Amino acid sequence: MSGGALGTLWRSRGGRCGLVLLALLALAAALVTLMPASDAGGAQWAGASLEHWFGTNRLGQDILARALEGMATAFRVGGLVTLGAVALGAALGALGGWRPHSLPDEVLQWVMGVLDSIPVYLFAAALAFALGGGEAAIIAAMVLSFWTSTARLVRAEVARLRGRDFVLSARAIGLPAPLILGRHLLPNTAHILLVQATLTFVAAIKTEVILSFLGIGAVHGVSWGLMLAESTQDVLAGHFGNFLAASGMLFLLLLGLNLVADALQDAFDLREASR
Amino acid sequence: MSLPRYLLQRLFHGALLLLGVTLLSFTLMVQFGPDTAFELAGKNTTEAQLEELRRSLGHDRPFLERYARWLGELARGDLGASDSNGEPVDRLIGRALPVTLALVLPGFLLGNVLGLLLGMLAAWYRQGAWDRLVLGGSVAGLSLSFLVVIIALQVLLCTPYGLDLFPTRGWRVDGIGSYLLYVTVPTLALVIVTLGYNTRFYRAVMVEELARDPVRTARAFGASGREVMFTHVLRNGAVPVLTRLLYSIPLVLVSGSLLLETYFGIPGVGKVAFDAITSGDQPVLLAVVTLTAVMFVAVQLLTDAACRLADPRYGAP
């Protein structure tokens, strides 16, 4: 399936651009994680030069090095949130779709309705209260807010597929429900999960930036949100390095993800038209 | 299903939803949250005084009893008072809500109208140059962070590094002139950041409706583009459009205003919520979360009613 998905992506121009862009950015993030660049030691507010591509910040740190560290943070937080939200959404959505309108399904619908009614920033704030801030709180808040959209789609797809012959046959020969769900139904939702993963990644990165900027919960290391928070003071004094580096990389990463999501949706003919 | 029974069912679901939201937020903020008695007591308090304070606040009671009491106050319309300055929460929010409405309404309307028009344009010339241009632009729009748009617009429009036309922050509105002065930059930011999503959604609706038989027939009989779009396509696509429009209201009012108002220092609901977050003001935060959920329930009922009015097929089996 994943080989097929990559092939599908590669066939469209947008998907190809997105994949190459993401691969380059991931490589940069991996390199900066494996061998952290020294970001200290320069003069305050140094201009752009070959040594400091985006200049240095208030503390004389190299802005490019910090922006790359921010990329590693974005990949880490976005990856964890995506993994958690899509896995949770797939599992619970499949359970709900297996027996639509049964008691477990009604409870699931209620829980999803409740979580969808709490804006993610407020939820993150409440969880930060309960868990005492930190990266775990905002990751948990995003997972708990974002899994519902995957769950709704998987639930609908599983409910649609459960009347098909291959499922009825599997039930007729007495396969247990978990096996049918895991081996026969969930693999048939892989295209939905793939698209949801890219969309969740986008949402997680955007939300992380805003939460870090607002100071709700904190991530480990440097974050683009923190750099942008610094830059709001900088730009009024005419220093644009922080802003350009953080917002430029943020844009490239989101663009790569959106191009991939777009190509996938086109290939699988998934568009949220009449929902 | 008969209408009264249907309404009853909707109300029951709404009540269950509110119960869930309040239980979850009360558990997170009050049960696992910081001990507010400790902060209210101030410095140099003995353990005995603290106990006394907790007893007088009712904090020594079991969780369910505290929750039930808070719920009872809520049902009587009593939202409590702010921990930071003792002001009743309903007055605080009553003062902030009109500001938020005035702030986000122009951007909300403009973002949707522009999105609708661009979506129509793209759908009409599907696979053509216009379509590709609109879709390409919307992918770029989706990749912009709200925060980045706000900072960029502020630099470009409000500082000497750009055009320097508008005030950098604040909300000193006393007439239409000053209103336009303060609302323009936030409105532009809201439009830019929502336009990509709106355009793609409206395009998808239009593409689907344009492919239907009655529309094809109308076009074959020579109906003009405007006639097809506004009478056949738009009316038949009313349900998804109305649903999206109404459902985005609570999100724009709370999430949208949170960043805008915090950044520009505008005293609306988002700023009230943000201040409550930073100062740990539980009564205010609980009220904001609860009122948002109430708004969601109201929006669900409203969407139902609006869709029934707009489309007789709605709700039919």
Side-chain angles (χ1 to χ4, degrees):
Chain A
M1 178 66 219
S2 67
L6 270 181
T8 323
L9 268 178
W10 201 253
R11 271 192 290 284
S12 83
R13 196 169 46 178
R16 224 159 34 225
C17 294
L19 272 183
V20 170
L21 195 52
L22 283 183
L24 287 177
L25 296 177
L27 191 68
L31 281 180
V32 85
T33 313
L34 290 178
M35 34 182 166
S38 153
D39 59 6
Q44 189 185 23
W45 301 130
S49 63
L50 274 181
E51 201 183 341
H52 305 291
W53 290 9
F54 285 90
T56 60
N57 67 3
R58 180 187 302 277
L59 301 173
Q61 297 162 311
D62 180 50
I63 287 175
L64 178 67
R66 286 171 64 79
L68 285 173
E69 264 184 80
M71 177 120 59
T73 304
F75 268 108
R76 186 183 66 240
V77 173
L80 286 173
V81 169
T82 303
L83 215 62
V86 172
L88 194 62
L92 292 179
L95 279 182
W98 180 244
R99 290 191 193 288
H101 306 296
S102 62
L103 185 66
D105 183 46
E106 293 289 342
V107 172
L108 176 75
Q109 303 259 41
W110 175 67
V111 170
M112 291 197 292
V114 166
L115 289 176
D116 284 345
S117 309
I118 306 179
V120 61
Y121 305 128
L122 297 183
F123 196 50
L127 267 181
F129 264 132
L131 301 177
E135 190 167 300
I138 70 169
I139 288 179
M142 284 194 263
V143 168
L144 289 172
S145 293
F146 293 157
W147 67 274
T148 55
S149 62
T150 302
R152 281 183 205 284
L153 294 174
V154 169
R155 177 183 174 277
E157 185 70 3
V158 168
R160 194 176 70 84
L161 289 176
R162 65 190 281 277
R164 292 285 193 82
D165 282 344
F166 71 96
V167 180
L168 294 180
S169 315
R171 291 172 74 172
I173 62 171
L175 291 187
L179 194 69
I180 302 178
L181 276 173
R183 286 280 284 281
H184 299 283
L185 283 169
L186 273 178
N188 274 303
T189 63
H191 59 299
I192 295 179
L193 299 184
L194 210 53
V195 170
Q196 281 301 304
T198 48
L199 295 178
T200 307
F201 214 123
V202 170
I205 289 171
K206 282 186 172 177
T207 309
E208 186 268 318
V209 165
I210 291 179
L211 285 174
S212 295
F213 169 78
L214 291 173
I216 302 171
V219 295
H220 305 310
V222 184
S223 149
W224 287 332
L226 294 175
M227 289 180 71
L228 288 170
E230 275 176 46
S231 82
T232 58
Q233 299 300 318
D234 300 352
V235 294
L236 298 180
H239 302 292
F240 297 105
N242 256 332
F243 175 69
L244 291 177
S247 65
M249 286 198 195
L250 175 58
F251 178 73
L252 287 181
L253 179 52
L254 292 176
L255 188 66
L257 287 166
N258 277 322
L259 285 172
V260 167
D262 226 35
L264 286 175
Q265 281 168 315
D266 274 344
F268 300 132
D269 202 21
L270 284 176
R271 287 258 174 233
E272 13 91 72
S274 44
R275 260 206 285 143
Chain B
M1 201 185 303
S2 68
L3 193 60
R5 207 180 137 204
Y6 174 78
L7 277 179
L8 219 62
Q9 199 193 1
R10 268 344 266 268
L11 280 176
F12 178 66
H13 273 132
L16 274 185
L17 190 90
L18 285 179
L19 201 67
V21 171
T22 51
L23 187 60
L24 182 61
S25 48
F26 197 83
T27 308
L28 284 178
M29 289 185 216
V30 177
Q31 183 69 6
F32 294 107
D35 184 0
T36 45
F38 195 73
E39 278 156 35
L40 287 176
K43 287 174 185 152
N44 297 326
T45 322
T46 63
E47 192 55 36
Q49 282 170 313
L50 213 53
E51 275 309 309
E52 178 58 36
L53 186 63
R54 286 202 188 106
R55 203 167 18 253
S56 73
L57 288 168
H59 286 191
D60 57 337
R61 312 303 304 167
F63 172 75
L64 273 181
E65 192 183 318
R66 286 179 68 184
Y67 174 62
R69 208 176 70 180
W70 177 71
L71 216 54
E73 287 168 6
L74 205 63
R76 288 195 301 274
D78 178 7
L79 291 172
S82 159
D83 272 349
S84 18
N85 58 9
E87 187 177 0
V89 177
D90 49 358
R91 241 185 30 217
L92 200 68
I93 290 177
R95 203 174 52 217
L97 193 59
V99 174
T100 294
L101 283 174
L103 175 71
V104 298
L105 203 61
F108 179 68
L109 292 178
L110 216 59
N112 276 290
V113 170
L114 281 177
L116 180 64
L117 292 176
L118 284 174
M120 280 179 168
L121 184 75
W124 188 257
Y125 297 107
R126 194 178 174 202
Q127 315 280 11
W130 278 113
D131 191 25
R132 261 181 303 217
L133 189 70
V134 168
L135 277 183
S138 78
V139 171
L142 295 186
S143 309
L144 288 172
S145 161
F146 201 5
L147 183 58
V148 170
V149 173
I150 291 177
I151 299 176
L153 281 176
Q154 194 188 40
V155 171
L156 291 176
L157 295 174
C158 312
T159 66
Y161 303 101
L163 298 173
D164 202 6
L165 294 173
F166 302 97
T168 43
R169 62 198 313 275
W171 188 259
R172 255 172 270 126
V173 172
D174 52 10
I176 187 76
S178 56
Y179 172 59
L180 287 177
L181 209 56
Y182 282 103
V183 88
T184 305
V185 179
T187 298
L188 279 177
L190 203 55
V191 169
I192 290 175
V193 88
T194 54
L195 194 57
Y197 287 98
N198 288 340
T199 305
R200 289 159 78 86
F201 168 76
Y202 287 120
R203 178 186 172 279
V205 173
M206 296 298 140
V207 163
E208 196 174 298
E209 291 301 329
L210 274 171
R212 291 196 196 283
D213 285 342
V215 176
R216 288 205 347 237
T217 311
R219 285 173 83 171
F221 273 85
S224 70
R226 187 181 302 160
E227 200 178 332
V228 169
M229 268 300 177
F230 287 92
T231 52
H232 299 282
V233 170
L234 199 52
R235 270 209 76 180
N236 279 309
V239 167
V241 169
L242 279 173
T243 306
R244 180 189 173 86
L245 261 184
L246 290 168
Y247 269 75
S248 53
I249 290 176
L251 289 176
V252 171
L253 279 183
V254 181
S255 296
S257 72
L258 191 67
L259 188 62
L260 275 179
E261 290 171 2
T262 310
Y263 194 88
F264 288 106
I266 295 167
V269 177
K271 185 81 166 59
V272 166
F274 179 73
D275 290 344
I277 290 171
T278 48
S279 64
D281 200 337
Q282 287 171 1
V284 175
L285 261 186
L286 282 172
V288 172
V289 174
T290 308
L291 289 177
T292 310
V294 170
M295 207 151 49
F296 266 106
V297 172
V299 156
Q300 277 174 14
L301 291 172
L302 203 65
T303 307
D304 242 47
C307 288
R308 266 159 207 279
L309 278 179
D311 194 335
R313 296 169 303 182
Y314 184 80

